[in-house]
Structures are given as structure tokens and as C-alpha cells.
Amino acid sequence: MYLTGQKEYCDRSAPEIIINELLEEKFGNEYTIYSEVPLRFIAETKQVANVDNEMKNFLDTSSLDFVLVKDDCIKLILEVDGSYHRGSFSKIKEYSHYYLDSLKDKWINELLGAEELFLRLPTNGTTHNETELIRDKLNNNANTVLTLSNAFYPWNEKRKKKKEDLNF
């Protein structure tokens, strides 16, 4: 099941749309697929100490492109990096995709210890290789247990209701 996130479907990049369709087609029967999941809903489930202000602020504003869940456990955190991630459109470090990606990577890999569940796809969304990379990651992450916080589900229901009321 695909649940839209903070971005409207038409605001997503072409690679995100293609990967979303791939996830739904290839993995939708086995996993619940969430998009644009705020990072805080995963971080709340871990006791993370010694986080500086920059990382705390990033946590409040960052979201994950896709999260695949099965049996209430996260099985894959997927970031889709289209062409906008391959170049820096900002001379200001804090707005560079490279810099923001490095903060997200640090949260997932170091602070949450979820490197085994994390896949960053540098993609244009057009190759068969992406399906295999996703399948391999799903098949090789059995040792990491991570969940969405209980606060995610009412937040997500409210988000879905709001979109339904707006006829999205």
C-alpha cells in the first residue's frame, strides 16, 4: 500500500515517481510502503544521546523518501537521489544536497545504527539494477530491528484524511 507523504505526487522528482511505482509493483504485496516519513518518527524509538543542536534541528525538518515495513518492523529505508543530488545548487553549505544527505546518513547509519536497513539510490529511475539493489538490501537486513514510533500512525491517518478532504 502506498501512502503519500509531505510532498504531493506531482511535486516528486521523476526518479521518485518511478521508484514509487517500482516499489508498489514489485514489493507492495509483501510490504507496507510509506513515503516522506519524518525522520523523527524513527529516531523517537531509539535512545540517542549526545546529539548536537544541528542534528536535533535536522531531525525536526528531515523526511525519508520511502520506508518499507513488514510485521511492524522497518525493513528498508530508501533515499532516491536524482540529478539534483549530483550537483550543488547552493553555495551555502547548509542548503547543499551533499551536506543535507551527509546529515541524514549520519542519523541513519551512526545515531540509529540502521546502516543495514538503509539504501541510497543514485538513480535516474530507469534501470533494472535498482530493483536488484532493493531486493538485495531487503534480503540482507535481518539483524537490525527498528520500528516507527507509535506517534507515526495517528499522524499518518490525519495526513491521509487531510488529503482526502482536499481531494488529492
Side-chain angles (χ1 to χ4, degrees):
M1 172 179 12
Y2 170 69
L3 302 172
T4 58
Q6 295 173 345
K7 292 181 190 174
E8 300 305 335
Y9 190 78
C10 60
D11 292 337
R12 299 183 72 105
S13 69
E16 287 175 321
I17 292 170
I18 291 167
I19 293 298
N20 175 72
E21 291 170 358
L22 176 141
L23 290 171
E24 186 63 33
E25 178 185 333
K26 302 285 186 185
F27 305 101
N29 289 334
E30 189 173 353
Y31 301 92
T32 303
I33 303 165
Y34 297 103
S35 71
E36 293 300 315
V37 174
L39 182 56
R40 65 185 157 88
F41 286 123
I42 296 174
E44 287 174 356
T45 66
K46 294 285 220 175
Q47 298 296 323
V48 180
N50 301 322
V51 178
D52 64 33
N53 284 337
E54 180 181 39
M55 292 302 282
K56 286 179 188 173
N57 292 336
F58 182 77
L59 180 65
D60 292 334
T61 61
S62 181
S63 64
L64 304 163
D65 290 339
F66 298 99
V67 175
L68 279 66
V69 176
K70 183 178 181 180
D71 300 327
D72 295 324
C73 290
I74 294 171
K75 297 299 182 180
L76 180 67
I77 298 168
L78 179 62
E79 283 293 300
V80 179
D81 293 350
S83 62
Y84 49 91
H85 285 266
R86 292 191 279 278
S88 177
F89 297 108
S90 175
K91 302 225 183 282
I92 302 169
K93 177 181 89 168
E94 289 78 12
Y95 298 106
S96 157
H97 278 290
Y98 291 122
Y99 180 70
L100 296 174
D101 286 350
S102 73
L103 294 179
K104 191 175 290 185
D105 292 352
K106 182 175 181 178
W107 259 110
I108 295 167
N109 296 333
E110 295 175 30
L111 299 174
L112 298 177
E115 184 174 8
E116 198 174 64
L117 303 175
F118 183 50
L119 178 60
R120 185 175 286 285
L121 280 179
T123 182
N124 63 9
T126 61
T127 68
H128 175 72
N129 187 41
E130 288 133 357
T131 305
E132 292 308 311
L133 289 170
I134 292 167
R135 187 171 282 117
D136 288 348
K137 197 66 162 179
L138 285 167
N139 289 334
N140 294 308
N141 67 14
N143 297 325
T144 302
V145 176
L146 194 62
T147 60
L148 290 164
S149 76
N150 290 333
F152 170 76
Y153 298 101
W155 173 87
N156 192 55
E157 288 302 314
K158 187 186 288 185
R159 175 177 67 174
K160 284 180 6 188
K161 174 80 170 104
K162 183 177 179 183
K163 289 186 179 290
E164 287 170 6
D165 290 347
L166 295 173
N167 293 320
F168 281 109

